[in-house]
Amino acid sequence: MKIKSRVWYWLAAASGAVSLLYGMGIEGGAQLGSSISDSQFVTALCLVLAAVAFLRLGFAAEAEENRRHCGRIRRTHARNPEYPENQERGA
């Protein structure tokens, strides 16, 4: 079962929101005089990169969904009672 594009978009939004909140916490600590450690910077950067990766996966999943629907042949336009194959076989 494939993951739908909507799920990837939600993951991207959640990861982006968490990275913004985490970055705001780091920035608030820096305003109070504490230093920014390497692990805090790397965590915030990884969350932003994860959000971008989830967004790209969402675009790819959406393209896959659209690609599956484009190749279908719809024969509803050919339903004409005058065609020989649609006439009832009586007598």
Side-chain angles (χ1 to χ4, degrees):
M1 182 172 156
K2 294 189 178 197
I3 298 177
K4 295 189 182 283
S5 63
R6 189 176 324 142
V7 175
W8 290 118
Y9 292 147
W10 276 104
L11 283 171
S15 180
V18 168
S19 69
L20 285 175
L21 289 173
Y22 192 75
M24 286 172 48
I26 293 172
E27 192 262 338
Q31 283 186 1
L32 292 175
S34 66
S35 63
I36 300 172
S37 69
D38 290 340
S39 63
Q40 289 175 331
F41 176 75
V42 169
T43 303
L45 188 63
C46 286
L47 285 170
V48 170
L49 292 176
V52 171
F54 289 147
L55 192 61
R56 291 197 44 124
L57 285 170
F59 289 144
E62 187 176 7
E64 178 73 21
E65 290 169 4
N66 290 340
R67 188 177 60 90
R68 278 188 274 150
H69 293 293
C70 290
R72 292 188 181 171
I73 298 173
R74 294 183 179 90
R75 291 188 168 86
T76 57
H77 66 280
R79 301 292 183 225
N80 189 349
E82 296 174 3
Y83 289 156
E85 63 267 8
N86 291 335
Q87 293 178 355
E88 292 183 22
R89 297 179 186 190

